[in-house]
Amino acid sequence: MKNRTMYILAIVTVIVVAAIAIPLYVKSQHTTFRAEVTDHMTMLDKIRLLEISKVGRELYDAEEVQLEDPKQIQDILKLFKDVELQNVKQVGSDQDLPYYYQVRILVIKEDRFSEQIGISLYSDNTMAIYNSAATRDAHKAYKITNEFNFNEFERIFNKLKEDAA
């Protein structure tokens, strides 16, 4: 009788631990762009520069636009504000575009030091984020799980490139 009670208690314990651990693990795999990038900024931080590069798969094939105007920078960041992300081990090599975009953000933290955030957009559903201030896992790969207007991002980049020329 004691062995049977111990087995039942062990099984119940395993089920309870699994019922708690599995949802916590699944929840930790989902995040948002806001949580990964903009929530780390305070009111005293200033975005000094936003640089967008369109990088071709061929070596030395890149186009670049730099923005210092806060309004233009906010317009670009608004495209990302509602993006929902899911952690992945690495971004797949099956990108369907012959190029990708790199967005580099230079943030001046409370007028004392700077921090860089890098965003690589490989397609309309894959993204990698680099945060120079992260002490662990500075570079993370994500799958975009909701609608991201990649075409609007490309349109804005092309317009900025034309205006700079």
Side-chain angles (χ1 to χ4, degrees):
M1 194 65 140
K2 279 187 172 183
N3 284 340
R4 184 175 174 191
T5 306
M6 292 300 283
Y7 286 133
I8 292 173
L9 186 59
I11 290 171
V12 169
T13 303
V14 168
I15 291 172
V16 168
V17 168
I20 293 171
I22 291 172
L24 287 176
Y25 175 75
V26 170
K27 186 176 190 272
S28 73
Q29 297 302 307
H30 293 275
T31 186
T32 63
F33 180 83
R34 183 177 289 161
E36 292 298 317
V37 177
T38 56
D39 281 354
H40 299 288
M41 296 180 205
T42 67
M43 295 297 286
L44 299 175
D45 297 346
K46 295 179 185 122
I47 298 176
R48 180 79 63 204
L49 174 75
L50 186 128
E51 178 182 278
I52 305 171
S53 301
K54 182 178 180 179
V55 181
R57 302 284 178 198
E58 301 297 319
L59 192 60
Y60 304 114
D61 183 21
E63 302 169 2
E64 185 177 290
V65 175
Q66 290 187 353
L67 302 172
E68 293 183 5
D69 179 33
K71 180 166 180 1
Q72 287 180 320
I73 292 171
Q74 290 302 321
D75 289 344
I76 296 289
L77 291 178
K78 280 181 187 176
L79 291 174
F80 294 101
K81 75 174 184 153
D82 294 326
V83 172
E84 295 176 6
L85 305 169
Q86 177 182 1
N87 286 339
V88 293
K89 296 255 187 243
Q90 65 182 7
V91 177
S93 61
D94 58 334
Q95 289 97 17
D96 47 327
L97 299 174
Y99 56 86
Y100 64 97
Y101 287 97
Q102 287 183 332
V103 179
R104 187 174 66 98
I105 304 168
L106 180 65
V107 180
I108 305 300
K109 302 289 281 179
E110 301 174 7
D111 288 329
R112 291 184 287 168
F113 58 93
S114 63
E115 173 180 299
Q116 286 189 24
I117 299 169
I119 304 158
S120 298
L121 288 168
Y122 296 106
S123 69
D124 59 347
N125 62 358
T126 55
M127 169 188 295
I129 298 176
Y130 168 78
N131 188 341
S132 67
T135 56
R136 182 175 167 220
D137 296 332
H139 193 272
K140 295 181 183 177
Y142 298 100
K143 175 182 168 189
I144 300 172
T145 59
N146 65 340
E147 292 295 319
F148 170 65
N149 199 341
F150 190 75
N151 293 331
E152 179 67 13
F153 180 79
E154 286 188 306
R155 187 192 68 74
I156 290 173
F157 173 78
N158 290 329
K159 182 179 182 304
L160 290 169
K161 191 175 67 171
E162 288 173 6
D163 291 347

